[in-house]
Amino acid sequence: MAQYAQTGRAFLNRITDTWARLMEPNNDAVRDADIVESAIAQAPVVWMLGKVQSGKTSIIKALTNCSDAEVGTGFSPCTRTARMFDFPANVPLLRFLDTRGVGEAHYDAVEDIAFCESRAHLLIVTMRALDPQQRSVVDVVAQVRA
């Protein structure tokens, strides 16, 4: 997993460097607010789906180095609502949609799933390797694919 995170980080760093050059003060074309709005509207959305504590936010934090991505300690869930993480933050090329954990106690994911599936371009499903109980996640993925 660490190898994949490093490869992903290297790719995103190359994108960030290119985007930073576009954002230089002498580049008037990118300072326009319309460009920022267009980037947000056109950036692909990657939906992170999985059970509680399966690594959704950890992956986002590892790839984007976003300090706002709060990662739990394994005792209780941190993600209380679906949240978008833009990368890079000022003019995104990619957006991550972090969601609450499937199967979380006292949480009905039906509305969130409907919201997310209408916005996402790609679905990344995370699972704990030693968790044999993945039926709830498989059911959500089947529902999304249908």
Side-chain angles (χ1 to χ4, degrees):
M1 171 105 172
Q3 175 188 1
Y4 295 114
Q6 287 176 339
T7 303
R9 261 194 308 265
F11 171 75
L12 292 175
N13 286 337
R14 284 195 305 272
I15 291 173
T16 303
D17 292 342
T18 302
W19 213 243
R21 285 193 299 275
L22 290 172
M23 295 300 294
E24 290 175 358
N26 61 353
N27 192 343
D28 292 334
V30 181
R31 278 194 249 143
D32 190 1
D34 292 338
I35 300 292
V36 174
E37 288 178 30
S38 177
I40 290 171
Q42 295 179 26
V45 175
V46 178
W47 176 12
M48 304 299 290
L49 177 73
K51 288 173 73 174
V52 176
Q53 300 290 316
S54 64
K56 301 176 297 293
T57 308
S58 295
I59 291 170
I60 292 170
K61 187 168 189 159
L63 292 175
T64 66
N65 287 324
C66 178
S67 59
D68 291 347
E70 185 181 356
V71 177
T73 58
F75 299 106
S76 65
C78 286
T79 306
R80 293 292 177 197
T81 61
R83 179 170 176 206
M84 201 71 79
F85 289 92
D86 292 345
F87 183 80
N90 51 352
V91 183
L93 291 173
L94 189 62
R95 305 182 83 199
F96 291 93
L97 179 56
D98 193 11
T99 55
R100 292 179 69 169
V102 173
E104 185 179 320
H106 311 292
Y107 167 60
D108 183 5
V110 173
E111 287 182 23
D112 282 348
I113 291 167
F115 171 83
C116 295
E117 71 182 346
S118 68
R119 285 159 179 75
H121 298 96
L122 174 70
L123 177 65
I124 294 181
V125 179
T126 61
M127 295 182 180
R128 285 182 170 178
L130 299 177
D131 183 356
Q133 302 298 323
Q134 295 296 333
R135 174 53 47 197
S136 58
V137 176
V138 172
D139 290 346
V140 171
V141 172
Q143 177 185 345
V144 170
R145 289 203 58 197

